[in-house]
């Protein structure tokens, strides 16, 4: 059995699909592309697709990932052609950017990803005002967050999971870019927005365009992406085997 | 020229509708026509649309519904009628057909409910009876001509449409009444037929549609590939409108079924396919068809396609071990539940409804299911059937309890779910003359069963709300006087009546009272043989005499065999239209059509005395008619 890691984007109207909808859609695409997907054993075998961190309904993503296990010796599509083949059988808005084979024993996406970069586009806000609000937030030593877990109120500190925050003017409004940690649990973008506590800037959260631009893993102490789109990192002549 | 095919319920319910998908595809293949689809927005979205002054719009292009030339609705359930009116209104079209101008879209309805479209006659411009594959193009062409000629007069196009076989234009007929009855239905435009006949395609093999079944991105009901293996059914269950109006049987060639399955799976990426029909295990030579279809699909042409397990399902199962055997062959994976429809609790009652399943057949089926790994069986029953006694009703509980006993031989705690629905008499069935049970009577029978089930370990009972059954009955056999009733209910916000959380009987009883109409007259009254029924000017091919005789046979508890494998008894469905059954193979399924008079050892040519009496069925009606 071999494993492929696939990076895709989810942009536009399809942002309203839930994580489960996208998962089902990717599973069908993999079958439509004719990939020899491996199935789990047991009474109701399931296609062995492994999904990364969920992207909430309504959010877009440029750096989404899943892994798929293949049965050896049955492939007929070259890995370098796969991105195109898969994009062709996926709905408009879901596009595969890259496919790479990964080694056995590579940590799963859920395990490996330590933080994500999010971009919030706020149509009617000034980037200076947003920068000011962000600076106040990052200046705090702790950012207590009240959550309801198993019916009980618990308090958590958001501060250790909050990375760099940058505000700048963009084409469709002020853009706020922020790193949010995922360990021990993912900070949700809406939690960050409510911590920002700037209702005069960010009115209705539903009006904010939210895009996940990166997911980050640690490789030998370096921060990198599971699949970087910068330099070609794969052997293009290699075939899924 | 453009069609908007619309299902008058949510996307989740409507998207899988194969009829609309087939028609939308056929129209797209027309050189001068396009088609899109729409569904009923849920209550919250509708409120947003109305608040923003936005109309109903198409799913594909987000085009306003009012910009289409024709809106084609599928009517499969009576309780969607108020949604039909609501969607016409949301499209920005006057709800009453008589008030529409030439620039408004033509409103067309099709589907099983349109065999009695009278309750919605005020709201629609044209009605299609029967198979839509051919007639959709004929309608398209008539409307194209009308548009080319300037699209001036609505009456002009409707007159032309009324001349297309299978198309019924309600405005072209005058209905007069006599108390609760209809006195007469007469053409009021020249040149329209006295009786509108349904359309029947003769060969399903010529229509391998949908070629590109839609794959939704969100979850819907029946989310799988569907391949229709045959249309029509001749088992002759007397309560079943679908079986009566879709005759004769037209099977798809087995090879085409296999190709549609293989290509459909490859194209859609689904891992589940349903072989659909009214009774798939009756497909001729079904064993050969499904042999090798399930399980892991090999990469047939070395292309690596169709890898992985595929599950094949038959939406309706025969009540015998043979049917279960096929299901076992197809469902290699998890076996959670299996559904059977014995429909009635006693053999006497099943003779009345002509669902000739013996108790032993059911126990054999259930035994076979439990012994092959299924843990729960689901049994469907009707109550409120003609001549039903309390003994018949209680027979349901007895059958279910016995099924659990059978299961105990294989499992420690076998489960049986019993689902009970109130019977609604339908047009063009032998039961069309029967006065439906009242809400009180249905409630009493359900109560009897609930008591009987108390203490039966492993049994679970579900039932359909008798008040909803009453309104279904009202609309099923109603006449045009119900138009204002439907409109009143709609105006008071009564949409999505199919949904129990929105159904409201009071809206309907109030509207009936407001318009001076009696629920009893419409729902509970027995009709007489000489009565002009509201659908008398329409025809599904079935002779009035055949239906009446079959009604009399029902009352005499006389069964009728399946004419696919035994002689024709001239119901009219083939004889009247010069068509015949088309079977894919000369080999009947094991035992012919089980439960219709042939034992499992039945062989096709020998249907003389000995064979006919070897099974516990009186084939009375056939003997009385020339064969
Ligand atoms: S016309 Fe004859 S063969 Fe055809 S459906 Fe009726 S009884 Fe059967």
């Amino acid at each position: 059995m071999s494993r492929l890691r696939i990076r895709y984007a989810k942009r536009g109207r399809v942002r309203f699909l839930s994580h489960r909808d996208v998962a089902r859609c990717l599973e069908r695409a993999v079958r439509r592309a004719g990939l020899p997907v491996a199935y789990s054993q047991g009474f109701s075998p399931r296609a062995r697709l492994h999904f990364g961190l969920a992207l909430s309904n309504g959010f877009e993503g440029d750096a989404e990932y899943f892994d798929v296990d293949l049965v050896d010796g049955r492939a007929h599509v070259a890995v370098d052609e796969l991105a195109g083949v898969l994009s062709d059988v996926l709905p408009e808005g879901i596009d595969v950017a890259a496919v790479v084979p990964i080694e056995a024993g590579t940590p799963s996406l859920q395990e490996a990803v330590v933080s994500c970069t999010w971009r919030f586009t706020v149509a009617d806000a000034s980037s200076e005002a947003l920068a000011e609000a962000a600076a106040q937030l990052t200046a705090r030593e702790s950012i207590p967050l009240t959550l309801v877990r198993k019916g009980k109120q618990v308090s958590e500190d958001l501060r250790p999971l909050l990375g760099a925050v940058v505000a700048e003017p963009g084409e469709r409004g002020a853009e706020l870019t922020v790193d949010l940690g995922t360990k021990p649990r993912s900070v949700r973008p809406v939690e960050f927005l409510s911590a920002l506590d700037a209702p005069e800037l960010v009115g209705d959260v539903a009006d904010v365009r939210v895009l996940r631009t990166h997911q980050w893993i640690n490789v030998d102490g370096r921060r990198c992406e599971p699949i970087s789109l910068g330099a070609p990192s794969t052997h293009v002549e290699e075939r899924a085997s | 020229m453009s069609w908007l095919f619309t299902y008058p319920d949510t996307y989740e319910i409507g998207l899988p509708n194969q009829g609309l998908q087939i028609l939308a595809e056929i129209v797209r293949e027309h050189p001068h026509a396009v088609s899109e689809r729409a569904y009923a927005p849920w209550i919250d979205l509708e409120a947003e649309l109305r608040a923003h002054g936005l109309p109903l719009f198409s799913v594909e292009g987000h085009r306003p519904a009012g910009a289409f030339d024709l809106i084609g609705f599928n009517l499969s359930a009576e309780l969607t009628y108020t949604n039909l009116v609501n969607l016409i209104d949301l499209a920005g079209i006057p709800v009453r057909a008589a008030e529409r101008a030439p620039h408004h879209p033509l409103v067309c309805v099709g589907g099983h409910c349109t065999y009695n479209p009278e309750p919605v006659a005020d709201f629609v411009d044209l009605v299609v009876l029967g198979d839509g594959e051919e007639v959709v193009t004929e309608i398209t062409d008539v409307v194209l001509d009308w548009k080319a000629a300037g699209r001036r007069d609505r009456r002009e196009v409707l007159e032309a449409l009324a001349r297309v076989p299978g198309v019924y234009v309600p405005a072209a007929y005058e209905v007069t009444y006599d108390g609760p009855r209809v006195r007469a239905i007469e053409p009021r435009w020249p040149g329209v037929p006295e009786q509108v006949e349904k359309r029947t395609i003769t060969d399903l093999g010529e229509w391998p549609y949908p070629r590109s079944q839609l794959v939704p991105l969100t979850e819907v009901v029946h989310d799988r590939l569907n391949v229709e293996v045959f249309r029509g059914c001749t088992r002759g269950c007397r309560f079943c409108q679908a079986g009566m109006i879709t005759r004769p049987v037209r099977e798809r060639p087995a090879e085409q079924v296999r190709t549609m399955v293989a290509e459909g799976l490859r194209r859609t990426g689904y891992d589940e396919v349903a072989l659909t029909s009214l009774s798939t295990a009756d497909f001729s030579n079904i064993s050969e068809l499904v042999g090798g279809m399930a399980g892991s699909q090999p990469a047939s042409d070395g292309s690596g396609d169709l890898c992985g397990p595929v599950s094949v399902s038959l939406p309706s199962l025969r009540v015998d071990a043979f049917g279960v055997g096929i299901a076992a062959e197809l469902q290699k994976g998890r076996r959670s539940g299996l559904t059977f429809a014995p429909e009635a609790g006693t053999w006497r009652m099943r003779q009345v409804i002509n669902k000739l399943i013996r108790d032993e057949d059911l126990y054999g089926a259930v035994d076979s299911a439990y012994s092959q790994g299924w843990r729960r069986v689901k049994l469907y029953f009707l109550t409120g059937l003609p001549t039903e006694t309390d003994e018949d009703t209680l027979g349901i509980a007895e059958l279910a309890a016995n099924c659990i006993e059978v299961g105990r031989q294989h499992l420690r705690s076998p489960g049986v779910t019993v689902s009970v629905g109130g019977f609604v008499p339908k047009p063009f069935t032998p039961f069309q003359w029967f006065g439906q049970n009242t809400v009180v009577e249905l409630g009493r029978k359900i109560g009897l069963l609930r008591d009987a089930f108390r203490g039966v370990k492993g049994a679970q009972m579900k039932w359909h709300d008798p008040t909803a059954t009453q309104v279904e009955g009202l609309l099923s056999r109603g006449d045009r006087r119900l138009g204002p009733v439907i409109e009143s209910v709609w105006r008071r916000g009564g949409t999505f009546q199919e949904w129990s959380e929105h159904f409201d009987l009071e809206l309907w009883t109030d509207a009936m009272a407001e318009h001076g109409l009696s629920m009893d007259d419409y729902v509970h009254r027995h009709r007489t043989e000489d009565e002009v029924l509201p659908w008398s000017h329409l025809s599904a091919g079935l002779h009035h005499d055949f239906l009446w005789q079959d009604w009399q046979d029902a009352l005499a508890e006389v069964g009728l065999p399946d004419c696919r494998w035994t002689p024709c008894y001239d119901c009219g469905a083939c004889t009247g239209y010069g068509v015949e059954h088309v079977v894919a193979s000369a080999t009947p399924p094991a035992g012919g059509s089980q439960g219709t008079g042939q034992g499992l050892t039945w062989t096709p040519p020998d249907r003389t005395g000995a064979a006919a009496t070897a099974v516990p069925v009186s084939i009375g009606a056939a003997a009385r008619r020339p064969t």
Side-chain angles (χ1 to χ4, degrees), chain B residues 98-427:
Chain B
E99 287 158 23
R100 290 175 200 149
H103 72 274
H104 287 124
L106 293 159
V107 175
C108 172
V109 292
H112 286 182
C113 286
T114 61
Y115 279 91
N116 177 24
E118 294 304 281
V120 296
D122 290 351
F123 314 116
V124 304
D125 295 298
L126 61 148
V127 177
V128 170
L129 300 184
D131 299 329
E133 279 89 344
E134 292 167 346
V135 73
V136 71
T137 303
E138 294 162 27
I139 295 171
T140 302
D141 290 339
V142 169
V143 174
L144 270 169
D145 287 348
W146 177 58
K147 283 185 74 177
R151 191 176 186 155
R152 272 187 295 271
D153 183 14
R154 223 171 155 87
R155 162 96 182 241
E156 181 187 304
V157 71
L158 290 174
E159 272 188 20
L161 285 165
R163 283 193 290 273
V164 175
V167 174
Y168 163 54
V169 175
Y173 297 80
E174 178 81 47
V175 185
T176 48
Y177 302 96
D178 179 7
R181 297 173 166 222
V182 170
R183 177 179 295 131
I185 307 168
E186 284 154 329
R188 71 167 164 221
W189 294 355
V192 300
E194 299 250 322
Q195 196 170 42
V196 181
E197 301 283 346
K198 74 162 179 177
R199 290 296 288 266
T200 306
I201 54 164
T202 51
D203 183 2
L204 200 58
E206 283 178 15
W207 300 96
Y209 292 85
R211 292 183 203 269
S212 319
Q213 190 187 305
L214 296 167
V215 183
L217 300 179
T218 54
E219 236 166 332
V220 301
V221 300
H222 311 310
D223 199 0
R224 62 191 178 208
L225 180 69
N226 293 293
V227 175
E228 184 184 23
V229 297
F230 66 84
R231 200 171 291 177
C233 178
T234 45
R235 285 178 154 241
C237 300
R238 294 180 173 124
F239 57 86
C240 177
Q241 188 193 36
M244 291 288 166
I245 61 177
T246 60
R247 294 169 173 218
V249 168
R250 288 141 297 155
E251 291 185 354
R252 194 181 289 290
E255 200 42 50
Q256 190 179 66
V257 172
R258 275 188 284 265
T259 312
M260 286 176 76
V261 168
E263 278 178 5
L265 289 172
R266 180 161 42 221
R267 215 193 52 77
T268 59
Y270 275 123
D271 59 356
E272 186 188 346
V273 54
L275 302 179
T276 66
S277 74
L278 291 170
S279 175
T280 298
D282 288 339
F283 189 83
S284 60
N285 215 354
I286 180 76
S287 312
E288 199 198 289
L289 176 72
V290 300
M293 200 177 259
S296 193
Q297 289 278 349
S300 50
D301 50 4
S303 65
D305 294 330
L306 298 192
C307 303
V310 170
S311 85
V312 184
S313 57
L314 311 182
S316 50
L317 210 57
R318 276 167 58 147
V319 189
D320 63 358
F322 172 72
V324 177
I326 289 180
E329 197 171 323
L330 292 174
Q331 262 183 49
K332 304 273 194 241
R334 194 164 45 91
R335 290 176 178 171
S336 45
L338 213 51
T339 303
F340 302 102
E343 310 287 2
T346 58
W347 171 245
R348 188 201 75 80
M349 192 75 258
R350 291 195 295 274
Q351 278 178 300
V352 171
I353 63 174
N354 206 45
K355 179 108 191 186
L356 302 176
I357 291 155
R358 298 165 304 176
D359 293 3
E360 303 89 276
D361 293 326
L362 176 63
Y363 301 146
V366 168
D367 183 71
S368 174
Y370 286 126
S371 70
Q372 296 186 74
W374 277 282
R375 314 192 56 78
R376 175 162 282 277
V377 300
K378 201 169 176 189
L379 305 175
Y380 273 96
F381 292 98
L382 290 169
T383 188
L385 289 162
T387 77
E388 181 175 320
T389 63
D390 286 355
E391 195 182 322
D392 297 316
T393 313
L394 288 166
I396 293 173
E398 202 179 313
L399 272 188
N402 289 343
C403 286
I404 293 174
E405 276 314 305
V406 170
R408 288 238 163 79
Q409 292 158 22
H410 306 283
L411 292 174
R412 218 159 42 90
S413 53
V416 170
T417 305
V418 169
S419 189
V420 183
F423 171 61
V424 176
K426 298 277 172 133

Side-chain angles (χ1 to χ4, degrees), chain A residues 13-14 16-18 20-22 24-25 27-29 31-37 39 42-47 74 76-77 89 91-92 94, chain B residues 59-60 62 215-220 223-224 265-271 297-299 302-309 332-335 373:
Chain A
R13 278 211 274 180
V14 290
F16 296 115
L17 296 182
S18 71
R20 279 187 51 195
D21 291 336
V22 173
R24 222 179 15 249
C25 182
E27 185 180 327
R28 285 175 192 155
R31 276 196 293 265
R32 285 154 85 166
L35 278 186
V37 196
Y39 278 77
F43 239 10
S44 39
R46 299 198 53 85
R74 294 256 304 274
H76 65 287
V77 188
V89 294
E92 195 182 308
I94 301 183
Chain B
V59 168
E60 290 92 340
H62 289 194
V215 183
L217 300 179
T218 54
E219 236 166 332
V220 301
D223 199 0
R224 62 191 178 208
L265 289 172
R266 180 161 42 221
R267 215 193 52 77
T268 59
Y270 275 123
D271 59 356
Q297 289 278 349
S303 65
D305 294 330
L306 298 192
C307 303
K332 304 273 194 241
R334 194 164 45 91
R335 290 176 178 171

Side-chain angles (χ1 to χ4, degrees), chain B residues 78-94:
Chain B
E78 292 87 358
L79 292 181
T80 63
Y81 291 175
T82 53
N83 277 20
L84 166 78
V85 178
N86 192 40
L87 292 179
I88 294 172
D89 180 65
L90 197 54
I93 305 169

Side-chain angles (χ1 to χ4, degrees), chain B residues 234 247-249 542 563-564 567-576 579 581:
Chain B
T234 45
R247 294 169 173 218
V249 168
L542 305 158
C563 59
R564 219 169 326 174
C568 166
Y569 45 77
D570 189 19
C571 74
C574 310
T575 39
V579 294
H581 299 308

Side-chain angles (χ1 to χ4, degrees), chain B residues 499-517:
Chain B
W499 297 69
S500 54
E501 68 264 43
H502 289 291
F503 176 77
D504 185 351
L505 178 67
E506 225 176 273
L507 285 176
W508 294 93
T509 46
D510 287 356
M512 287 293 280
E514 176 192 334
H515 297 285
L517 298 171

